[in-house]
């Protein structure tokens, strides 16, 4: 073999072993969420995967598991804790059972609008909450968004808390939501999302509450007649990573994961807004009767006794810092 052929053979072998080493380290991450691939969570998962692949030179790619394929949100968060799920895109619904500091964000009528929620969650208050996750064996990469929740039911048009009295409404497995619904005179029935469609269909519950994007994506117009645009609570979402993945990352890779999640969260928020703006017309076309003129003041008044309790539980200063945030 000539010197040149030997040099080429050596270079080829070195390149092959570098590729083999890179491939050995490359990882495909399981990303789980509860909604369809076309939903705001699906949009976020796709953007997260694209950004991550680009920012890690192809070392990390993702496989999406939409529509509860890895279980309900609580189960997926548990999976992230033990490393059977790599990434979860979830509402805060069940997260307060793991990281109680998130519960303050679930208080009804806390956030005035999307801009208010983003300013709080993207600022120091939101970051302090994200910083609590590692103590509970989870990494929160970014705040995303599920949207403002609206009440649907199969029984009657609801404009005031009095109209809602006695309705059996599925809530998320979230103590703050359950307490608030009781205060409205509603019978809250906590239930994991994967069970909800059948429960509505069979009349086990009369209704549920979710953002417009979810109501569309889950096809609830097939099993619910009435929707009231209550916008009673802002529903944040989170992009959560398993510490099993995080602990194996270099500092540059950690930065790539965090930045990819932030970009994905921005895409999620954009899709939530599009659905909120366009979705009501679609729900009407699908036959839902929409109550647009909800007496929100009456719902807020009904909540006043609970707000006093929340002030004690979460701290008046902290609550005021959120309420009065620009
Ligand atoms: O109602 C819920 O459980 C949540 O809003 C959902 C639909 C799973 C999205 O996070």
């Amino acid at each position: 073999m000539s010197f040149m052929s030997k040099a080429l053979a050596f270079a080829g072998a070195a390149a092959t072993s570098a590729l083999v080493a890179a491939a050995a380290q490359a990882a495909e991450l399981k990303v789980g969420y509860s909604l369809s691939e076309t939903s705001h969570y699906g949009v976020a998962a796709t953007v997260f995967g694209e950004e991550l692949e680009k920012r890690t030179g192809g070392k990390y790619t993702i496989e999406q598991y939409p529509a509860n394929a890895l279980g309900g949100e609580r189960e997926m968060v548990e999976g992230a804790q033990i490393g059977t799920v790599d990434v979860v895109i979830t509402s805060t619904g069940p997260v307060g059972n793991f990281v109680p500091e998130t519960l303050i964000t679930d208080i009804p009528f806390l956030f005035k609008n999307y801009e208010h929620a983003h300013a709080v969650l993207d600022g120091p208050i939101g970051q302090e909450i994200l910083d609590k996750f590692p103590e509970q064996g989870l990494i929160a990469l970014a705040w995303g968004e599920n949207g403002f929740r609206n009440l649907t039911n199969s029984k009657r048009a609801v404009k005031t808390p009095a109209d809602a009295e006695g309705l059996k409404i599925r809530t998320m497995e979230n103590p703050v939501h359950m307490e608030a619904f009781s205060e409205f005179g509603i019978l809250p029935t906590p239930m994991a999302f994967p069970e909800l469609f059948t429960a509505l269909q069979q009349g086990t519950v009369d209704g549920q509450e979710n953002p417009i994007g979810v109501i569309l994506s889950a096809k609830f117009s097939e099993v619910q007649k009435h929707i009231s645009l209550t916008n009673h609570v802002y529903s944040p979402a989170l992009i959560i990573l398993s510490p099993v993945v995080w602990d194996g990352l270099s500092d540059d890779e950690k930065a790539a994961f965090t930045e990819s999640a932030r970009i994905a969260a921005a895409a999620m928020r954009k899709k939530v807004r599009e659905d909120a703006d366009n979705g009501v017309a679609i729900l009407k076309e699908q036959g839902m009767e929409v109550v647009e003129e909800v007496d929100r003041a009456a719902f807020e008044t009904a909540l006043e006794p609970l707000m006093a309790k929340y002030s004690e539980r979460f701290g008046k200063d902290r609550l005021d810092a959120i309420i009065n945030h620009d």
Side-chain angles (χ1 to χ4, degrees):
M1 211 186 245
S2 71
F3 173 75
M4 192 50 113
S5 326
K6 276 188 191 157
L8 283 174
F10 177 75
T16 309
S17 57
L19 277 176
V20 169
Q25 285 174 10
E28 188 177 73
L29 303 177
K30 282 186 188 168
V31 179
Y33 51 92
S34 279
L35 302 172
S36 70
E37 263 184 285
T38 54
S39 70
H40 47 290
Y41 290 172
V43 167
T46 301
V47 171
F48 180 70
E50 286 165 1
E51 289 295 325
L52 193 63
E53 194 168 344
K54 191 171 80 192
R55 284 163 196 276
T56 60
K59 181 169 167 187
Y60 288 96
T61 54
I62 66 155
E63 178 77 31
Q64 298 195 33
Y65 292 82
N68 306 304
L70 301 178
E73 292 188 328
R74 178 197 267 270
E75 289 163 285
M76 287 190 280
V77 175
E78 280 164 1
Q81 273 182 325
I82 58 173
T84 53
V85 179
D86 299 311
V87 180
V88 186
I89 303 177
T90 176
S91 71
T92 48
V95 177
N97 299 308
F98 300 85
V99 184
E101 287 81 0
T102 62
L103 286 171
I104 195 169
T105 68
D106 296 316
I107 297 175
F109 300 108
L110 181 71
F111 295 111
K112 290 187 276 289
N113 50 39
Y114 291 104
E115 291 71 22
H116 180 205
H118 298 172
V120 171
L121 297 177
D122 297 343
I125 297 177
Q127 189 56 49
E128 267 176 42
I129 300 175
L130 298 187
D131 291 343
K132 295 288 177 195
F133 279 68
E135 290 165 28
Q136 308 305 332
L138 293 163
I139 303 297
L141 293 174
W143 286 105
E145 179 162 274
N146 193 22
F148 279 93
R149 301 176 80 89
N150 297 288
L151 184 68
T152 72
N153 81 93
S154 56
K155 298 276 187 212
R156 52 184 177 263
V158 171
K159 200 174 167 185
T160 64
D163 298 331
E165 212 172 313
L167 287 176
K168 201 168 173 197
I169 300 291
R170 175 267 177 178
T171 65
M172 296 196 286
E173 298 163 283
N174 180 297
V176 169
H177 283 202
M178 288 168 64
E179 280 166 359
F181 271 75
S182 298
E183 214 67 33
F184 297 147
I186 283 170
L187 304 174
T189 309
M191 187 184 289
F193 189 68
E195 294 159 37
L196 179 55
F197 191 92
T198 310
L200 292 169
Q201 198 169 39
Q202 296 181 344
T204 319
V205 288
D206 302 318
Q208 63 86 48
E209 41 84 60
N210 251 304
I212 299 294
V214 173
I215 295 168
L216 281 170
S217 156
K219 301 191 174 21
F220 285 150
S221 65
E222 291 176 12
V223 284
Q224 296 278 269
K225 185 73 188 154
H226 304 280
I227 174 165
S228 302
L229 303 185
T230 45
N231 287 302
H232 54 274
V233 65
Y234 176 76
S235 180
L238 287 152
I239 302 180
I240 292 177
L241 179 69
S242 170
V244 175
V245 177
W246 182 253
D247 292 343
L249 301 177
S250 68
D251 286 350
D252 282 352
E253 286 167 349
K254 284 180 177 167
F257 270 69
T258 306
E259 193 50 23
S260 302
R262 286 194 183 132
I263 295 170
M268 192 184 324
R269 286 175 174 175
K270 184 164 174 279
K271 174 73 172 131
V272 167
R273 281 297 266 277
E274 284 164 11
D275 285 343
D277 291 347
N278 309 326
V280 176
I282 301 172
L283 294 174
K284 277 185 192 165
E285 275 166 28
Q286 292 173 350
M288 287 194 92
E289 284 178 14
V290 183
V291 177
E292 311 210 17
E293 301 298 313
V294 171
D295 188 349
R296 287 185 88 236
F299 279 95
E300 275 195 74
T301 308
L303 216 61
E304 270 165 19
L306 203 54
M307 283 311 275
K309 277 198 212 154
Y310 288 156
S311 214
E312 266 179 45
R313 192 192 305 173
F314 297 110
K316 184 172 172 4
D317 290 353
R318 193 147 185 82
L319 217 49
D320 285 348
I322 296 180
I323 292 167
N324 301 324
H325 200 290
D326 291 333

